[in-house]
Coordinates of all heavy atoms in Angstrom, one line a residue:
K137 N 87.4 89.3 83.7 CA 86.7 88.2 83.1 C 86.6 87.1 84.1 O 87.5 86.9 84.9 CB 87.5 87.7 81.9 CG 87.4 88.7 80.7 CD 87.9 88.1 79.4 CE 87.9 89.2 78.3 NZ 86.6 89.7 78.0
F138 N 85.5 86.4 84.1 CA 85.3 85.2 84.9 C 84.5 84.2 84.0 O 84.0 84.6 83.0 CB 84.6 85.6 86.2 CG 83.2 86.1 86.0 CD1 82.1 85.3 86.0 CD2 83.0 87.5 85.7 CE1 80.8 85.8 85.8 CE2 81.7 88.0 85.4 CZ 80.6 87.2 85.5
G139 N 84.3 83.0 84.6 CA 83.5 82.1 83.8 C 83.7 80.7 84.3 O 84.1 80.5 85.4
H140 N 83.4 79.7 83.4 CA 83.5 78.3 83.8 C 84.3 77.5 82.8 O 84.5 78.0 81.6 CB 82.1 77.7 84.0 CG 81.4 77.6 82.7 ND1 80.4 78.5 82.2 CD2 81.4 76.6 81.7 CE1 79.9 78.1 81.1 NE2 80.5 76.9 80.7
S141 N 84.7 76.3 83.2 CA 85.4 75.4 82.3 C 84.8 74.1 82.4 O 84.3 73.6 83.5 CB 86.9 75.3 82.9 OG 87.5 76.5 83.1
I142 N 84.7 73.4 81.3 CA 84.3 72.0 81.2 C 85.5 71.2 80.8 O 86.2 71.5 79.8 CB 83.1 71.9 80.2 CG1 81.9 72.7 80.7 CG2 82.7 70.4 80.1 CD1 80.7 72.8 79.8
H143 N 85.8 70.1 81.6 CA 87.0 69.4 81.3 C 86.9 67.9 81.7 O 86.0 67.5 82.4 CB 88.1 70.1 82.2 CG 87.9 69.9 83.7 ND1 88.5 69.0 84.4 CD2 87.1 70.6 84.5 CE1 88.1 69.1 85.7 NE2 87.3 70.1 85.8
H144 N 87.8 67.2 81.1 CA 88.0 65.8 81.5 C 88.6 65.7 82.9 O 89.5 66.5 83.2 CB 88.9 65.1 80.5 CG 88.4 65.0 79.1 ND1 87.6 64.0 78.6 CD2 88.5 65.8 78.0 CE1 87.3 64.2 77.4 NE2 87.8 65.3 77.0
V145 N 88.1 64.8 83.7 CA 88.6 64.7 85.1 C 89.7 63.7 85.1 O 89.6 62.6 84.7 CB 87.4 64.2 86.0 CG1 88.0 63.9 87.4 CG2 86.3 65.2 86.0
T146 N 90.8 64.2 85.6 CA 92.0 63.4 85.8 C 92.4 63.4 87.3 O 91.8 64.1 88.1 CB 93.2 63.9 84.9 OG1 93.4 65.2 85.3 CG2 92.9 63.8 83.5
E147 N 93.5 62.7 87.6 CA 93.9 62.6 89.0 C 94.2 63.9 89.6 O 93.9 64.1 90.8 CB 95.2 61.7 89.1 CG 94.9 60.3 88.9 CD 96.2 59.5 89.1 OE1 97.1 59.9 89.7 OE2 96.2 58.4 88.5
E148 N 94.7 64.8 88.9 CA 95.1 66.1 89.4 C 93.8 67.0 89.5 O 93.2 67.2 88.5 CB 96.1 66.8 88.5 CG 97.0 67.7 89.3 CD 98.0 68.5 88.4 OE1 98.4 67.8 87.4 OE2 98.3 69.6 88.6
L149 N 93.5 67.5 90.6 CA 92.3 68.3 90.8 C 92.1 69.5 89.9 O 93.0 70.3 89.8 CB 92.3 68.8 92.3 CG 91.0 69.6 92.7 CD1 89.8 68.6 92.8 CD2 91.2 70.3 94.0
D150 N 91.0 69.5 89.2 CA 90.6 70.5 88.2 C 91.7 70.9 87.2 O 91.9 72.0 86.9 CB 90.2 71.8 89.0 CG 89.1 71.5 90.0 OD1 88.2 70.7 89.7 OD2 89.1 72.2 91.1
A151 N 92.4 69.9 86.8 CA 93.5 70.1 85.9 C 93.5 69.3 84.6 O 94.4 69.3 83.8 CB 94.8 69.9 86.6
G152 N 92.4 68.5 84.4 CA 92.3 67.7 83.2 C 92.1 68.5 82.0 O 91.8 69.7 82.0
P153 N 92.3 67.8 80.8 CA 92.2 68.5 79.5 C 90.9 69.3 79.3 O 89.8 68.7 79.6 CB 92.3 67.4 78.5 CG 93.0 66.3 79.2 CD 92.6 66.4 80.6
L154 N 91.0 70.5 78.9 CA 89.8 71.3 78.7 C 88.9 70.9 77.5 O 89.5 70.6 76.4 CB 90.2 72.8 78.5 CG 90.6 73.5 79.7 CD1 91.1 74.9 79.3 CD2 89.5 73.6 80.8
I155 N 87.6 71.0 77.6 CA 86.7 70.8 76.5 C 86.1 72.1 76.0 O 86.0 72.4 74.9 CB 85.6 69.8 76.9 CG1 86.2 68.5 77.3 CG2 84.5 69.7 75.8 CD1 85.2 67.6 78.1
S156 N 85.8 72.9 77.0 CA 85.2 74.2 76.7 C 85.3 75.2 77.8 O 85.4 74.8 79.0 CB 83.7 74.0 76.4 OG 83.0 75.2 76.3
Q157 N 85.4 76.5 77.5 CA 85.5 77.5 78.5 C 84.6 78.7 78.0 O 84.6 79.0 76.8 CB 86.9 78.1 78.7 CG 87.6 77.5 79.8 CD 88.9 78.1 80.1 OE1 89.5 78.8 79.2 NE2 89.5 77.8 81.3
V158 N 83.8 79.2 78.9 CA 83.0 80.4 78.6 C 83.4 81.5 79.5 O 83.4 81.3 80.7 CB 81.5 80.2 78.6 CG1 80.7 81.4 78.4 CG2 81.1 79.1 77.6
S159 N 83.7 82.6 78.9 CA 84.2 83.8 79.7 C 83.2 84.9 79.6 O 82.7 85.2 78.6 CB 85.6 84.1 79.2 OG 85.8 85.5 79.3
L160 N 82.9 85.5 80.8 CA 81.9 86.6 80.8 C 82.7 87.9 81.3 O 83.7 87.7 82.0 CB 80.8 86.3 81.8 CG 80.0 85.0 81.5 CD1 79.0 84.8 82.6 CD2 79.2 85.2 80.2
N161 N 82.2 89.0 80.9 CA 82.8 90.3 81.4 C 82.3 90.7 82.7 O 81.1 90.6 82.9 CB 82.6 91.4 80.3 CG 83.4 91.1 79.0 OD1 84.5 90.5 79.1 ND2 82.8 91.4 77.9
R162 N 83.1 91.2 83.5 CA 82.7 91.8 84.8 C 81.9 93.1 84.5 O 82.2 93.9 83.6 CB 84.0 92.2 85.6 CG 83.7 93.0 86.8 CD 85.0 93.1 87.6 NE 84.7 93.9 88.8 CZ 85.0 95.2 88.8 NH1 85.6 95.8 87.8 NH2 84.7 96.0 89.9
I163 N 80.8 93.3 85.2 CA 80.0 94.5 85.1 C 80.3 95.3 86.4 O 80.0 94.9 87.5 CB 78.5 94.2 84.9 CG1 78.3 93.4 83.6 CG2 77.7 95.5 84.9 CD1 76.9 92.9 83.4
E164 N 80.8 96.5 86.2 CA 81.1 97.4 87.3 C 79.8 97.6 88.2 O 78.7 97.9 87.7 CB 81.6 98.7 86.8 CG 82.0 99.8 87.8 CD 83.2 99.3 88.7 OE1 84.1 98.7 88.1 OE2 83.1 99.5 89.9
G165 N 79.9 97.4 89.5 CA 78.8 97.6 90.4 C 77.9 96.4 90.5 O 76.9 96.5 91.3

Side-chain angles (χ1 to χ4, degrees):
K137 289 190 184 299
F138 62 94
H140 69 264
S141 308
I142 297 173
H143 64 99
H144 295 271
V145 174
T146 55
E147 287 183 23
E148 205 186 329
L149 183 68
D150 301 326
L154 285 176
I155 298 167
S156 172
Q157 260 184 345
V158 173
S159 148
L160 302 172
N161 292 323
R162 171 173 176 264
I163 298 174
E164 182 63 42

